[in-house]
């Protein structure tokens, strides 16, 4: 093996063209999925307090936003709904005229080259903010799964292109797959939030989606942040149940998990750069403590380098603009 002075690793770093030539990881527009928060009303655009540049939008505004997203060359959005009415069983989630169902129909009618992914969960629709039906303080798994399957079907009926269950109940992927197939949606893919941790990084999302649990937390269904082997078991069971793509969430603090899941299963793998990751970069950027644009790109390159094929990120529009500017 050659050693110094024969071996000089810096040879490939002096010239920017050579650097471009040997670069191993690229971030492209095709990697991006942009999350959107839909609220009732007309002409509503409320900035989320803890997420500068992210808005709750009424359907008319969301449709315009989707046109811009399509123009920028971002291939997909994922929708989260905030209903005007919440109840114990989250009925707004599977109402054929619910906020998401209406939003999907409106977007699909006006925006052609954009994949609409819907997040399937009950937490935004329940009065208690939990991800399922409660008995006392316990979330009932199997009862919740039937409602999630109903929710998924109603999203598909509205025109959703991809269904993304984020609830972490056991068995929901197979229940959703069966329900979709039974209704003739056998070609609609499932992107499962297979590996989702009980993370403090979701804080700002709960402002955006108005979905903070009224009591307790999500540790009875979301994963313990200390576990890594368990992530492989979660991913494996979702794949066996029929997930077409799997997700790891959050992303930045879980690069090891993305890497292990990708290595082991070789599945199309998404990573979610969640609200807290975005908020931290934004806050430090606003204070001029870091170079926001540079750290944005670095954080996303790192997620791709770890093995993610696609990234859900609130920076999607900024990234698309950056890529246009730096062509
Ligand atoms: C649940 C859901 C959550 C996020 C996406 N889907 C919140 C939670 O599990 O509490 C968080 C996303 C983010 O923080 O950006 N419907």
């Amino acid at each position: 093996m050659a050693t110094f002075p024969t071996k000089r690793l810096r040879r490939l770093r002096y010239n920017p063209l050579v650097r471009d030539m040997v670069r191993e990881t690229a971030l492209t527009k095709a990697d991006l999925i942009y999350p959107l928060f839909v609220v009732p009303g007309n002409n509503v655009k409320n900035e989320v307090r803890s997420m500068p540049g992210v808005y709750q939008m009424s359907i008319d505004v969301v449709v315009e936003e989707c046109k811009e997203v399509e123009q920028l060359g971002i291939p997909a959005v994922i929708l989260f709904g905030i209903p005007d009415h919440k109840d114990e069983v989250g009925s707004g989630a599977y109402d054929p005229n619910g906020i998401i169902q209406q939003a999907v129909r409106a977007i699909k009618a006006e925006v052609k080259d954009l994949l609409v992914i819907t997040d399937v969960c009950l937490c935004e629709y329940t009065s208690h903010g939990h991800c399922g039906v409660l008995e006392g303080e316990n979330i009932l798994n199997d009862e919740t799964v039937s409602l999630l399957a109903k929710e998924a079907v109603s999203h598909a009926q509205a025109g959703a292109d991809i269904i993304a269950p984020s609830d972490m109940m056991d068995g929901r992927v197979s229940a959703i797959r069966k329900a979709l197939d039974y209704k003739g949606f056998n070609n609609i893919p499932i992107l499962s939030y297979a590996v989702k941790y009980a993370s403090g990084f979701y804080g700002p999302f709960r402002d955006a989606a108005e979905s903070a649990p009224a009591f307790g937390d999500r540790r009875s269904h979301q994963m313990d942040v200390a576990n890594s082997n368990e992530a492989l078991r979660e991913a494996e069971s979702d794949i066996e149940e029929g997930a077409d793509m799997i997700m790891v969430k959050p992303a930045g603090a879980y690069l090891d998990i993305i890497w292990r899941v990708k290595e082991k299963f070789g599945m199309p793998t998404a990573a979610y750069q969640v609200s807290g990751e975005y908020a931290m970069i934004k806050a430090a950027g606003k204070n001029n403590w870091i170079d926001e644009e540079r750290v944005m790109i670095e954080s996303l390159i790192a997620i791709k380098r770890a093995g993610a094929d696609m990234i859900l990120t609130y920076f999607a529009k900024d990234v698309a603009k950056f890529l246009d500017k730096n062509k």
Side-chain angles (χ1 to χ4, degrees):
M1 283 275 256
T3 53
F4 180 80
T6 326
K7 185 184 228 171
R8 290 176 181 271
L9 290 166
R10 292 183 62 200
R11 277 184 205 117
L12 300 184
R13 294 182 197 143
Y14 292 109
N15 180 328
L17 292 173
V18 174
R19 288 202 298 269
D20 286 350
M21 199 179 260
V22 300
R23 182 164 304 119
E24 298 173 34
T25 308
L27 184 62
T28 71
K29 291 182 181 184
D31 306 327
L32 303 171
I33 301 174
Y34 188 45
L36 293 171
F37 299 97
V38 193
V39 290
N42 240 296
N43 201 21
V44 180
K45 192 172 179 189
N46 298 330
E47 191 163 24
V48 178
R49 184 185 56 88
S50 48
M51 300 176 75
V54 173
Y55 300 84
Q56 296 180 327
M57 289 174 268
S58 52
I59 292 175
D60 52 321
V61 179
V62 162
V63 170
E64 292 311 307
E65 182 77 4
C66 286
K67 289 180 187 164
E68 189 193 338
V69 170
E70 179 194 40
Q71 281 292 313
L72 283 168
I74 295 165
V77 293
I78 181 163
L79 302 184
F80 298 95
I82 298 104
D84 49 13
H85 155 89
K86 303 195 185 205
D87 60 26
E88 289 276 297
V89 290
S91 50
Y94 37 90
D95 177 349
N97 274 316
I99 183 93
I100 286 297
Q101 291 80 354
Q102 288 185 42
V104 173
R105 284 195 292 268
I107 297 166
K108 294 310 289 183
E110 295 208 40
V111 192
K112 293 299 160 212
D113 279 322
L114 185 69
L115 293 168
V116 176
I117 307 173
T118 55
D119 182 87
V120 168
C121 191
L122 295 185
C123 64
E124 294 118 63
Y125 305 91
T126 52
S127 42
H128 42 71
H130 281 285
C131 302
V133 184
L134 297 180
E135 184 178 67
E137 299 206 343
N138 183 26
I139 301 175
L140 297 174
N141 192 85
D142 302 11
E143 290 76 356
T144 300
V145 165
S146 334
L147 298 180
L148 294 167
K150 237 169 107 172
E151 180 179 2
V153 167
S154 80
H155 290 176
Q157 283 167 337
D161 297 297
I162 298 173
I163 301 294
S166 71
D167 53 282
M168 291 295 281
M169 295 298 118
D170 288 320
R172 91 276 204 215
V173 173
S174 73
I176 289 172
R177 185 70 270 159
K178 280 198 198 92
L180 289 173
D181 291 359
Y182 181 72
K183 296 285 185 181
F185 296 110
N186 31 4
N187 289 328
I188 298 288
I190 296 176
L191 164 59
S192 80
Y193 288 70
V195 181
K196 180 173 176 181
Y197 286 91
S199 170
F201 286 99
Y202 307 149
F205 176 91
R206 293 175 189 172
D207 288 339
E210 301 175 17
S211 63
F215 61 87
D217 55 35
R218 305 214 198 287
R219 286 176 223 253
S220 83
H221 49 292
Q222 297 180 349
M223 281 182 53
D224 185 333
V225 303
N227 293 355
S228 166
N229 294 321
E230 188 188 356
L232 301 182
R233 298 200 292 277
E234 277 288 359
E236 182 172 44
S237 82
D238 280 15
I239 295 164
E240 280 168 359
E241 289 181 34
D244 302 284
M245 302 180 269
I246 53 179
M247 192 195 300
V248 174
K249 177 182 167 198
Y254 297 83
L255 298 179
D256 57 325
I257 307 296
I258 298 172
W259 175 261
R260 284 191 77 185
V261 164
K262 184 66 186 182
E263 281 284 294
K264 170 123 190 200
F265 300 108
M267 290 285 286
T269 302
Y272 199 147
Q273 183 181 53
V274 300
S275 55
E277 300 177 65
Y278 175 83
M280 292 192 310
I281 295 173
K282 276 281 173 191
K286 275 195 184 304
N287 275 301
N288 284 318
W289 292 341
I290 57 170
D291 174 341
E292 179 184 321
E293 187 177 73
R294 184 170 171 186
V295 173
M296 163 182 86
I297 296 298
E298 185 173 338
S299 68
L300 294 165
I301 290 276
I303 294 165
K304 280 214 73 185
R305 197 188 61 231
D309 301 293
M310 47 211 145
I311 307 173
L312 295 86
T313 175
Y314 302 97
F315 284 119
K317 279 169 54 180
D318 297 337
V319 172
K321 289 174 193 164
F322 172 89
L323 292 173
D324 284 339
K325 193 174 69 190
N326 293 280
K327 259 207 282 266

